[in-house]
Amino acid sequence: CDIQLVENPNRLVVDVPGISAPRNKTLIIDNDSDIASVRLGTHPDKLRVVLDIKQALLQLLMQAKVVLN
């Protein structure tokens, strides 16, 4: 599993090898959530899950990344 925190636009990208989905899909999340949407993308060798995140969650994840490294 490969996880990346990406800015502009803010998103968390998770690549899961060996898994596929029938088609690409976007899920819209409630406005009160720190996650704006979730997108699933199929690739020949992996499933990509993209969480479009709001600024507050980005800051928390960046702080956690610094602590974990």
Side-chain angles (χ1 to χ4, degrees):
C1 193
D2 181 39
I3 301 172
Q4 301 173 46
L5 187 57
V6 184
E7 295 180 79
N8 297 322
N10 301 333
R11 59 201 183 281
L12 184 67
V13 179
V14 181
D15 288 332
V16 184
I19 296 178
S20 63
R23 64 178 191 250
N24 295 340
K25 187 160 186 102
T26 300
L27 307 168
I28 305 301
I29 309 298
D30 187 313
N31 284 339
D32 291 336
S33 175
D34 285 329
I35 299 171
S37 65
V38 177
R39 295 180 277 137
L40 303 176
T42 58
H43 297 268
D45 60 337
K46 66 188 170 198
L47 173 68
R48 174 166 283 173
V49 181
V50 178
L51 297 124
D52 296 305
I53 58 178
K54 296 180 183 173
Q55 189 64 33
L57 182 55
L58 175 68
Q59 291 172 346
L60 282 173
L61 290 172
M62 290 179 76
Q63 290 171 356
K65 184 177 177 182
V66 170
V67 171
L68 293 174
N69 289 336

